[in-house]
Amino acid sequence: MVLRVYNTLTRQIEDFVPLNDKKVNMYVCGPTVYDHCHLGHARSYISFDMIRRYLVYRGYDVRYVSNITDVDDKIIARAKETGRDPFELSSRFTLSFIEDMDALNVLRPDVQPRVTEHIPEIIGTIQVLIGRGLAYPTSRGNVYYDLTRSLDRVGILSRQTVEGLLEGSGSRVEVEEDKRYRLDFVLWKSSSESEPGWDSPWGRGRPGWHIECSVMSMKYCAQQLDIHGGGADLIFPHHEAEILQSEGYTGLRPFSRYWLHNGFLTIDNEKMSKSLGNFFTIKKVLEEFPPEVIRFFILNTHYRSTINFSEQHLEEAGRAYERMANTISNIRYAIANAPGKGGDFGLLEEVGQARDSFIMSMDEDFNTREALANLFVFSRRVNAIISENSPDRAALEEVLAFLSEIDEVLGIFGKVLETHEEAAEGMSDGEVEAIIQQREEARKARDWARSDAIRDELKEKGIIVEDGKEGVRWKRS
Ligand code: AMP
Ligand code: ZN
């Protein structure tokens, strides 16, 4: 089986072949930190987290870099509105973003570079572009990328034409009147005294938005990436600008072998976004829904499809998630009461098939939707086997081990599985049974006080003892 991914560059699903055998350099555009992040951001970063985790699962050595845009016009505007210092604002929301990602079990990037810490490298890259005749400074202290030098590359990702773009930009008032050509984009922007700025050969200014990703991906990944990711709204102009800048700088094509874009999370069929004001922050949603349910909700749709958000959809996801989590509890209960030997009653074959179908779905452009649907089928079969037979402990442990294995990719069962491990760490089944035997002896001797005391003691340790017609049963709470 071979991993296949949808490449925005070719608009096709292609075999995944990294530039260096098993090594994968992956760069994902990070947030602009001027507010708390919303569920649309969660969608993007959970999707790429899943993709990163699956690549690791398939044996790739992944380097994952994702930036923080901590100087930007939106940050400056918000700081002005609220009377705050722009650096204070961006520091605060950088921390808020990291906190949200941790809560959602999004693994931290190997490097999470901030723009403000890379100004000298950005200036150096712009100087090289100017030296190659690909960019030009203006008398107002701005620097632009000269698009007339790369007209054949316009639309490479977005499939737009120069004519279409010119038409589209025709009615817009041009703020940057010092551009030579209407489609040129800014690399360096002059700053007024009240705006954040750094000294440069072109005067005091700050980077344009696109240049940071070219610079930081080259610095921390490689001059040529295997995967570049982001939301579909970044395809144009941001990612096309990155391609021109990076390829202009290195002379190497392609800048990224694969371009992956997540679909939008919408609300009432409109993209959830800060600028539209139709957003629910991650923090707000976390007040009502556990992080694993939010993750499950997002992964239950293919990463390229649109997800329409509503509270009702999240509640439904919560119920579906609960069913899956219950299977884990059932297995744990069965393990507590399982015979040491006896047979697997088909469980091992089910696990083998479930693993194959998980890989098959995920290999086809990370189809988590199908993978989760298959997992439900697996879970129903496991429940049926457990309720009709008594598979031995080793077979049941194998099912849990498989769920832990795929949870390295999904990241949704951690808490339920941990509870199992904690319980197992507390007291072994053999120890529990030995204590229960002592209780049996106390009962035979009609020493009710001692029998009750043993039961209470076990309860404190999370072991529930039930006296039934067929003898004593116990389970972990
Ligand atoms: P921003 O902070 O707006 O630059 O966004 C950071 C990342 O989140 C980008 O990759 C965006 O494409 C992505 N993103 C923002 N809003 C949404 C949304 N509603 N659905 C999916 N991805 C989004
Ligand atoms: Zn970017």
Side-chain angles (χ1 to χ4, degrees):
M1 284 185 282
V2 59
L3 172 61
R4 284 153 50 85
V5 302
Y6 181 86
N7 189 356
T8 310
L9 201 55
T10 57
R11 297 282 199 273
Q12 274 175 7
I13 295 201
E14 298 175 17
D15 287 358
F16 181 67
V17 186
L19 293 161
N20 284 313
D21 193 27
K22 282 295 199 184
K23 173 102 191 117
V24 174
N25 277 306
M26 180 170 179
Y27 183 90
V28 174
C29 293
T32 305
V33 280
Y34 67 100
D35 205 339
H36 294 296
C37 280
H38 57 65
L39 217 53
H41 297 114
R43 206 261 160 116
S44 188
Y45 299 115
I46 288 175
S47 300
F48 287 106
D49 178 59
M50 169 278 290
I51 289 173
R52 168 198 194 172
R53 287 165 174 259
Y54 187 65
L55 291 168
V56 172
Y57 179 85
R58 292 296 262 134
Y60 292 101
D61 172 13
V62 182
R63 181 162 178 84
Y64 186 95
V65 177
S66 188
N67 65 309
I68 301 271
T69 302
D70 61 350
V71 57
D72 174 89
D73 288 357
K74 289 186 206 142
I75 300 175
I76 298 171
R78 179 61 58 89
K80 276 188 188 150
E81 269 165 45
T82 55
R84 285 179 184 273
D85 179 87
F87 291 108
E88 181 200 324
L89 195 85
S90 59
S91 299
R92 174 165 169 231
F93 291 118
T94 299
L95 289 179
S96 162
F97 169 67
I98 293 173
E99 193 177 84
D100 291 345
M101 293 302 109
D102 284 351
L104 292 172
N105 200 11
V106 169
L107 299 178
R108 290 197 178 178
D110 294 308
V111 190
Q112 195 164 35
R114 296 168 194 204
V115 185
T116 53
E117 290 167 4
H118 295 80
I119 304 296
E121 289 97 324
I122 290 173
I123 292 175
T125 305
I126 297 174
Q127 278 177 312
V128 170
L129 291 175
I130 295 175
R132 303 229 162 108
L134 294 170
Y136 59 92
T138 71
S139 56
R140 295 195 192 171
N142 297 317
V143 182
Y144 293 99
Y145 187 92
D146 181 356
L147 211 74
T148 57
R149 293 285 311 271
S150 317
L151 284 178
D152 59 320
R153 305 282 285 162
V154 170
I156 178 167
L157 261 189
S158 65
R159 303 278 167 111
Q160 300 180 89
T161 59
V162 173
E163 294 70 34
L165 286 170
L166 284 172
E167 222 166 88
S169 71
S171 56
R172 244 182 275 150
V173 182
E174 284 304 320
V175 190
E176 302 113 342
E177 285 156 359
D178 54 339
K179 277 182 190 179
R180 285 187 199 154
Y181 180 62
R182 216 177 325 148
L183 298 181
D184 290 348
F185 56 87
V186 71
L187 300 173
W188 186 262
K189 221 171 182 167
S190 75
S191 291
S192 70
E193 273 314 309
S194 64
E195 292 170 336
W198 290 262
D199 289 336
S200 80
W202 320 288
R204 191 169 173 278
R206 59 188 187 274
W209 171 32
H210 315 308
I211 190 71
E212 64 182 81
C213 291
S214 287
V215 170
M216 299 197 284
S217 65
M218 277 193 282
K219 175 161 182 186
Y220 297 108
C221 280
Q223 293 205 327
Q224 286 181 293
L225 304 172
D226 295 295
I227 296 181
H228 193 312
D233 54 331
L234 300 190
I235 295 175
F236 186 87
H238 186 56
H239 287 164
E240 275 194 14
E242 280 189 41
I243 292 177
L244 297 180
Q245 296 162 162
S246 297
E247 294 181 356
Y249 179 86
T250 62
L252 299 169
R253 287 187 185 181
F255 163 46
S256 178
R257 175 88 176 73
Y258 302 91
W259 283 88
L260 271 54
H261 292 99
N262 65 272
F264 294 141
L265 182 131
T266 59
I267 182 158
D268 299 329
N269 299 316
E270 238 183 334
K271 181 189 166 219
M272 183 177 281
S273 79
K274 285 182 262 193
S275 50
L276 290 173
N278 61 350
F279 63 90
F280 283 82
T281 63
I282 296 171
K283 289 191 173 22
K284 176 86 196 134
V285 182
L286 276 171
E287 280 171 18
E288 288 182 45
F289 295 91
E292 50 277 13
V293 167
I294 300 174
R295 231 182 126 96
F296 175 87
F297 167 69
I298 287 171
L299 294 178
N300 204 20
T301 301
H302 187 269
Y303 77 93
R304 281 193 289 121
S305 309
T306 302
I307 301 183
N308 200 25
F309 166 78
S310 73
E311 212 149 306
Q312 193 196 334
H313 289 153
L314 256 177
E315 278 162 12
E316 281 163 17
R319 284 192 288 275
Y321 175 81
E322 226 22 71
R323 287 208 301 279
M324 201 79 95
N326 278 342
T327 302
I328 296 176
S329 304
N330 289 345
I331 301 169
R332 286 175 47 199
Y333 184 83
I335 287 176
N337 298 287
K341 284 202 181 92
D344 71 296
F345 295 93
L347 274 184
L348 297 185
E349 199 182 326
E350 290 293 346
V351 167
Q353 278 175 11
R355 181 179 288 110
D356 286 349
S357 64
F358 177 74
I359 294 176
M360 201 140 40
S361 304
M362 295 295 288
D363 267 359
E364 195 62 12
D365 196 26
F366 313 101
N367 194 343
T368 50
R369 173 155 189 85
E370 194 180 271
L372 286 173
N374 290 338
L375 213 53
F376 274 108
V377 175
F378 170 70
S379 141
R380 273 199 297 277
R381 290 196 183 143
V382 168
N383 277 329
I385 293 176
I386 293 176
S387 66
E388 286 159 22
N389 309 285
S390 295
D392 58 36
R393 193 166 300 140
L396 291 162
E397 292 281 7
E398 204 56 44
V399 179
L400 278 191
F402 166 67
L403 291 172
S404 296
E405 173 190 317
I406 59 168
D407 203 48
E408 291 294 318
V409 179
L410 301 171
I412 52 178
F413 296 130
K415 276 191 201 138
V416 201
L417 289 164
E418 256 167 41
T419 325
H420 169 71
E421 275 159 22
E422 269 165 27
E425 269 168 23
M427 229 194 291
S428 73
D429 291 355
E431 283 166 338
V432 176
E433 269 148 28
I435 296 173
I436 287 184
Q437 191 53 40
Q438 287 173 19
R439 179 169 172 268
E440 282 306 281
E441 277 155 22
R443 272 155 61 95
K444 263 190 219 144
R446 299 183 157 266
D447 184 350
W448 308 122
R450 177 161 160 72
S451 143
D452 286 352
I454 293 177
R455 194 193 52 208
D456 292 347
E457 201 181 300
L458 282 170
K459 195 172 169 200
E460 260 175 39
K461 292 183 173 153
I463 309 291
I464 311 293
V465 181
E466 288 164 356
D467 299 310
K469 269 192 225 139
E470 288 140 31
V472 187
R473 276 168 70 99
W474 65 272
K475 64 178 179 183
R476 299 183 194 269
S477 63

